[in-house]
Amino acid sequence: NLTVEITDFSHGAKCLAATPDGYVWYTQYQSDAVFRVSPCGELTTFKTPTANSQPYGLAADAEGNIWFTEKDAGQIGVINSKGEVKEYPLPPCDSCDLVSPPAHQRPTSITLGPDGLMWFLAGYTVGTIDKNGKITQRYNPTAIQVEICHAIVTGPDGNLWVGYERFAAEDQQITIFPLENTAIINVPHPIASGPDDALWFLEDADKVTRLSI
């Protein structure tokens, strides 16, 4: 077993991602950095070019590049195999329901989609970014999900999930699986695709939920 101690909790360690090479990556949203932990415990820091960017979610693509969201900067970042960091600003969204600051420009979660694109959740929109940095808006989830749900994931069925909403990337069809209690405290945040052909949700109401696919 390997334990890496984080001694400064003021920077807000946020999300984790593991890569096939044995490395573990995580973000600290108040330190403007993404961190990599090697299998032997060596810690490497990758600073974002933009100050006050608040790195949040992160995920690896098929080539091993690490993509991450910058919540306050309104950007998607990527760290390539050479350790170079690039950032791509989210474009304006004329059809989005805006708040202040614009919710559609505050990306949180990101995941590798079944089509090889990186899919991300940014407030009132779900979008994709390709390896060249081209960003495309895909759809707007329902209000109960989008206002506070910070997670998007590719499920074991090959579809994208935002909370309890299933989005089929191939034909753009959306299927909603209603919550038993639609109170805000029951909306899911982290989502994980389990080895049992199911999705696992952690809800704000101190509850773990399993959804069989």
Side-chain angles (χ1 to χ4, degrees), residues 60 65 76 84 86 117 123 142 186 190:
N65 302 306
I76 304 296
E84 300 168 334
K86 293 183 179 180
L117 299 174
T142 59
N186 286 333

Side-chain angles (χ1 to χ4, degrees), residues 164-180:
Y164 293 115
E165 291 191 24
R166 182 180 67 199
F167 178 73
E170 183 176 349
D171 57 11
Q172 313 288 295
Q173 293 298 309
I174 301 172
T175 304
I176 301 174
F177 296 81
L179 300 167
E180 293 182 2

Side-chain angles (χ1 to χ4, degrees), residues 2-78:
L2 175 66
T3 301
V4 177
E5 183 178 3
I6 300 174
T7 57
D8 187 353
F9 293 94
S10 63
H11 293 304
K14 203 65 184 177
C15 296
L16 285 167
T19 51
D21 55 7
Y23 287 88
V24 174
W25 298 72
Y26 69 93
T27 55
Q28 283 190 340
Y29 70 95
Q30 292 180 359
S31 66
D32 299 332
V34 177
F35 299 85
R36 182 184 68 192
V37 182
S38 73
C40 60
E42 180 182 2
L43 186 65
T44 304
T45 303
F46 300 87
K47 296 290 289 185
T48 62
T50 302
N52 302 317
S53 59
Q54 288 206 352
Y56 199 95
L58 75 170
D61 65 16
E63 298 176 355
N65 302 306
I66 300 297
W67 294 80
F68 60 95
T69 60
E70 296 181 356
K71 187 176 180 181
D72 268 20
Q75 300 181 139
I76 304 296
V78 61

Side-chain angles (χ1 to χ4, degrees), residues 110-135:
I110 190 167
T111 189
L112 174 62
D115 52 4
L117 299 174
M118 300 304 296
W119 289 70
F120 63 88
L121 176 63
Y124 290 83
T125 65
V126 171
T128 59
I129 182 168
D130 66 16
K131 63 180 181 180
N132 297 316
K134 180 182 178 181
I135 295 174

